[in-house]
Amino acid sequence: MKKALIVEDDSQIAELVELHLKDNYFTTTRVATGSAAIQSGLDMDYDVIILDIMLPDISGLEVCRILRAANVNTPVMMLTARSEEIDKILGLETGADDYLTKPFSIREFLARIKALMRRAEMKSTVSATAKDIISFGELNVDLGKRKVTLRDKKIELTPKEFDLLSLFITHPGRSYSREALLNQIWGYEYGGYEHTVNAHINRLRTKIEPDLANPVYILTTWGVGYRFNDEWT
C-alpha cells in the first residue's frame, strides 16, 4: 500500500481526503500544522504529501521549501482556497508537483494523485535502468543517487533542478521549448507559466555554469528554448 501524509487544518477536508485515499489503497497520516508536517516529512518516507498552503503556524509553501532543501523528493500536491496567479507560481517554484484550488472534486483530486504516482514510478524506472553516472567535462550526474558533482565538489540541487538537468544530460543536443519542459518536468499542462521554467534554468545555471554570460552546459536555442551542449560527447 502507498503511504500519504495529509497536512490540512480543516478537519472536514482532511477526513474527506483521507477517506478517499484509503478507498484507493493508501495508508494515511494526518497532521494539522506546518511544524508537524516538517517533522513527519523528515522522519517518515511517504509516497505523496497532500499539503495545504494556509496552515495555522508555518505556510505550506515554507514547509515545501524546507522539505525540498532537506532532499525530501516525495511528490507534493498543494491545496489552497486561494487561486491567485502568484500562489500557483510560488507553489511550483518551491518544489510542489501539482496544485489544486479549493473547492475541488474528489474525482479530479484522485486523478491528479494517480498521475503523480505514475510519474514517480516512471522516474524510479528511469533511474534504475539508466546509466548510473553521466559525465560531461567536469560535470558528473549520478541518476540513481540523484547526486551532482562539479570539479569533484557536490552541487546541491532542488528536485526540479535535478529533474531538468537529468532530462537535458540524457538527451544532449535535443532542444526543448519552455512549454515542453513545463509539461515533462511538472508532468501536466500549466499554460501561461513558462516563466517558471526560466527561473529554474537560471538557478540551475548559477550552480553549474563557470560563466553565466557564456554557458557551456545548458545552452539557449534561440526561438525554441534550451538544450544540453552535445559537443561534449
Side-chain angles (χ1 to χ4, degrees), residues 5-207:
L5 173 62
I6 302 168
V7 188
E8 173 61 71
D9 62 327
D10 185 320
S11 60
Q12 290 185 334
I13 293 177
E15 288 172 7
L16 183 65
V17 168
E18 182 176 42
L19 174 65
H20 286 279
L21 285 176
K22 285 183 175 179
D23 283 345
N24 284 269
Y25 308 104
F26 279 85
T27 59
T28 61
T29 299
R30 279 174 50 186
V31 298
T33 65
S35 55
I38 293 168
Q39 191 65 52
S40 189
L42 294 175
D43 290 345
M44 298 287 293
D45 290 327
Y46 293 98
D47 295 288
V48 66
I49 297 174
I50 316 301
L51 179 59
D52 186 26
I53 288 183
M54 299 297 290
L55 297 169
D57 56 347
I58 306 170
S59 77
L61 295 171
E62 186 62 22
V63 171
C64 194
R65 285 192 189 96
I66 292 171
L67 292 178
R68 293 311 193 211
N71 293 319
V72 175
N73 298 316
T74 307
V76 172
M77 162 76 77
M78 279 193 165
L79 304 179
T80 182
R82 302 186 301 177
S83 59
E84 287 86 347
E85 179 175 297
I86 189 65
D87 288 338
K88 298 179 182 180
I89 295 171
L90 288 173
L92 289 172
E93 294 190 355
T94 54
D97 296 275
D98 205 347
Y99 184 103
L100 203 55
T101 303
K102 303 174 187 175
F104 53 84
S105 73
I106 287 299
R107 178 177 294 181
E108 181 180 8
F109 170 76
L110 291 175
R112 298 279 193 95
I113 292 297
K114 290 176 181 178
L116 286 181
M117 296 297 94
R118 286 195 299 270
R119 293 198 295 272
E121 290 170 1
M122 287 175 62
K123 287 181 182 179
S124 297
T125 301
V126 169
S127 294
T129 58
K131 180 181 177 183
D132 285 343
I133 300 176
I134 300 178
S135 299
F136 285 85
E138 298 176 303
L139 181 67
N140 298 284
V141 179
D142 189 323
L143 297 173
K145 295 181 179 179
R146 296 180 66 88
K147 178 182 177 182
V148 177
T149 58
L150 181 63
R151 294 186 292 275
D152 297 322
K153 179 181 179 182
K154 185 178 180 181
I155 304 297
E156 297 292 345
L157 300 182
T158 67
K160 286 295 182 289
E161 289 167 356
F162 183 87
D163 290 343
L164 281 167
L165 179 58
S166 63
L167 176 66
F168 281 129
I169 205 167
T170 54
H171 299 87
R174 178 174 175 178
S175 294
Y176 292 90
S177 69
R178 292 164 182 81
E179 182 179 6
L181 290 171
L182 191 65
N183 291 340
Q184 289 200 44
I185 299 302
W186 278 266
Y188 61 98
E189 291 188 6
Y190 219 90
Y193 294 93
E194 286 82 2
H195 46 291
T196 296
V197 174
N198 294 345
H200 280 77
I201 294 290
N202 290 338
R203 287 196 290 268
L204 178 57
R205 280 175 164 171
T206 298
K207 295 178 180 181

